Amino acid sequence: MAAVLEKIITLNPDQEYETYDGIVEEKEMAGARHGRVGVRLSATLFNFVDAHNLGVVYGPDTTFKVGEDDRLPDVSFVALDRIPEDGDPEGLWDIAPDLAVEIVSPNDIYQKLMNKVFDYLDAGVKEVWLVSPESKTVAIYYSFTDVKILTESDVLTCEKLLPGFSCSVGDLFKLPQPSKP
């Protein structure tokens, strides 16, 4: 434990980190496509959640306690009934989110992504979305064995957490098109 604490003290304050099995791991820069998809999804979720007063949507710099680990999902949601009366914490959330979204980056390792998905589910996250800009798909994990894969022609919904929410999967990956004269 002392070695981990010593390493934390010497970490770059301009970098984001997660912990996994007590080991501090640097979050690598994800890239422009990852950021574009993340913002589109965050904005879509935020607009719906805010309009229906369902809770709070968080961005990629929000740390959650997921089991014994600290995780920073790319997008997350915490339901209103889980937010304390005095609001969300200034620092780390000591709970897991209700929804955790991981957007696949070119530098992601499959096994590490799957470890995150399973850690989220173990910690009580109700849905985990694994969004792939490369294949233009969204894999929704409801449990270890209940997984739904959506393609860009499908509609993403979240009836248990966000009743009435829907979004075209293809819209998440869409690039702006120049205006025609």
Side-chain angles (χ1 to χ4, degrees), residues 16 27-42 59-61 72-75 101-108 113 116 129-134 172-173 175:
E16 291 182 332
K27 278 197 81 164
E28 295 185 35
M29 299 295 283
R33 182 185 303 163
H34 180 280
R36 174 177 50 81
V37 171
V39 167
R40 288 186 72 86
L41 179 57
S42 294
D61 54 350
L72 291 98
D74 293 312
V75 182
V101 179
E102 292 291 339
I103 301 169
V104 181
S105 302
N107 53 11
D108 277 333
L113 273 177
K116 279 186 180 185
W129 297 354
L130 195 55
V131 179
S132 173
E134 181 70 24
L172 297 177
F173 307 109
L175 281 168

Side-chain angles (χ1 to χ4, degrees), residues 117-119 121-122 141-147:
V117 169
F118 294 147
D119 286 349
L121 293 171
D122 274 341
Y141 290 81
Y142 302 101
S143 73
F144 300 113
T145 58
D146 187 5
V147 182

Side-chain angles (χ1 to χ4, degrees), residues 5 16 18 27 29 33 39-40 42 46 67 71 80 126 142 160-161 169:
L5 290 177
E16 291 182 332
E18 292 183 313
K27 278 197 81 164
M29 299 295 283
R33 182 185 303 163
V39 167
R40 288 186 72 86
S42 294
F46 172 81
R71 294 294 194 186
L80 186 60
K126 293 174 179 65
Y142 302 101
K160 290 181 183 175
L161 294 174
V169 172

Side-chain angles (χ1 to χ4, degrees), residues 36 64-66 71 94 110 126 138 140 158-159 169 176:
R36 174 177 50 81
F64 289 90
K65 186 56 85 178
V66 175
R71 294 294 194 186
D94 63 355
Y110 175 79
K126 293 174 179 65
V138 177
I140 303 170
C158 188
E159 286 306 315
V169 172

